[in-house]
Amino acid sequence: MNQSHVKYLLVGGGLAAGSAAEAIRRIDPNGSAMLVGQEVNRPYHRSPLSKGYLKGEMSRTDLIAEPVGWFAERDIALRTGRRVAHIDVGRHAAALDSGEEISYHQLLIATGSLAKPLKVPGANLPNVFSLRSLLDADRLTNAIEKAKHEGRQHARGRGKAVIIGAGPLGVELAATLTQLNIAVDLLSAHDHPWRKFAGDVTGKFVLRYLEHHGVTTHMNTRIDRLDGDGRVQNVHKLDGTSLPCDFVIIAIGTVANREIVHGTSITAEKAILVDDHCRTSIPNIYAAGDCAAIFDPLFNKHRLIPHWDHARYT
């Protein structure tokens, strides 16, 4: 087994880990550091994936959080396409899926979140998508282009999509697809969009706005199953009706990616629990971003804040 040692080991290739690398170099220009990310891409901004990137207004280069060469210039080892398979908190070491072991003085876990799965029959059919990464966005872009040329006909052209979930991501995707001339059915189990973040007045304003711009909305709707001949073609609702489509996007929320702490003594519930300085229950191990629930002394409880600003500044 190959072994190496760094002062700072950052696990996760998203914005929280990238921001931590910036902060480390501001306060410690010379301490050895390594960032390990499971995606093959260097840290990038995910928020534009559902907007400018899908619409073709932004390139991969536009999404990159730091310029090419930034990590090398600051002597931060960048390991993309690698996963931390296990953390040995007693030995202060992390084993990568490549077989390499990295010992550390301080460890940051910033593994982000995963798309919450839709637990109905047919949810694993081809052409059922989620959107959490560049790879997801590229797959979705291919489905959009194919639907625009070969998909179901509607008043403005071809291509019909069903979006399940009317939170911020679902609403953003509905707006983007409509601008790309894809017909959109937006489904929600609640009576208006943005249920977790907006009251009735704001939520119903968003609902009317979406409908005014051509989105067909289905509120208070439950899904029975998805089906199709080799790929998804219909979304069946519990009321017995169905919606034909060329592809489906599931946007019903996220779950913290805390798999890395399984088998360790790091305290976690739905997310990794940290104090108001992002410290876990183990000395010298920190967690930040979507995978962490930070203690809020104002409310005297841990809070999950899955938002770009939170990842950037924690």
Side-chain angles (χ1 to χ4, degrees), residues 151-220:
R152 298 172 186 269
Q153 289 188 320
H154 57 87
R156 293 178 287 113
R158 286 183 177 273
K160 291 188 174 183
V162 172
I163 300 173
I164 301 173
L169 178 60
V171 169
E172 288 175 2
L173 286 167
T176 293
L177 294 183
T178 302
Q179 292 173 54
L180 292 172
N181 287 322
I182 297 290
V184 176
D185 286 285
L186 178 67
L187 280 61
S188 174
H190 307 293
D191 56 1
H192 62 72
W194 291 359
R195 180 83 190 305
K196 287 186 177 180
F197 310 100
D200 288 347
V201 173
T202 302
K204 289 177 181 178
F205 170 81
V206 174
L207 182 64
R208 292 192 299 270
Y209 183 87
L210 290 167
E211 292 171 342
H212 177 72
H213 286 82
V215 178
T216 302
T217 61
H218 307 260
M219 299 295 106
N220 297 307

Side-chain angles (χ1 to χ4, degrees), residues 75-133:
D75 198 25
I76 298 174
L78 182 61
R79 302 284 180 87
T80 58
R82 293 267 70 97
R83 180 178 63 87
V84 172
H86 175 69
I87 298 172
D88 188 328
V89 298
R91 296 176 54 242
H92 303 277
L96 307 189
D97 57 356
S98 61
E100 183 179 6
E101 184 175 86
I102 312 296
S103 62
Y104 59 83
H105 178 65
Q106 296 191 66
L107 169 67
L108 172 70
I109 301 171
T111 46
S113 59
L114 305 171
K116 188 176 182 180
L118 179 67
K119 297 179 180 180
V120 301
N124 60 346
L125 282 169
N127 267 26
V128 177
F129 301 95
S130 57
L131 182 59
R132 294 297 300 164
S133 69

Side-chain angles (χ1 to χ4, degrees), residues 206-254:
V206 174
L207 182 64
R208 292 192 299 270
Y209 183 87
L210 290 167
E211 292 171 342
H212 177 72
H213 286 82
V215 178
T216 302
T217 61
H218 307 260
M219 299 295 106
N220 297 307
T221 297
R222 300 284 180 176
I223 309 301
D224 179 46
R225 69 189 189 281
L226 315 181
D227 67 18
D229 183 11
R231 61 179 178 82
V232 67
Q233 293 173 310
N234 296 283
V235 175
H236 296 273
K237 300 187 289 182
L238 279 179
D239 64 7
T241 61
S242 63
L243 299 170
C245 61
D246 296 301
F247 60 92
V248 170
I249 307 175
I250 299 172
I252 57 175
T254 61

Side-chain angles (χ1 to χ4, degrees), residues 294-308:
I294 191 166
F295 183 76
D296 188 334
L298 180 63
F299 294 95
N300 196 37
K301 66 178 182 179
H302 287 87
R303 297 178 63 200
L304 258 173
I305 311 175
H307 193 273
W308 181 90

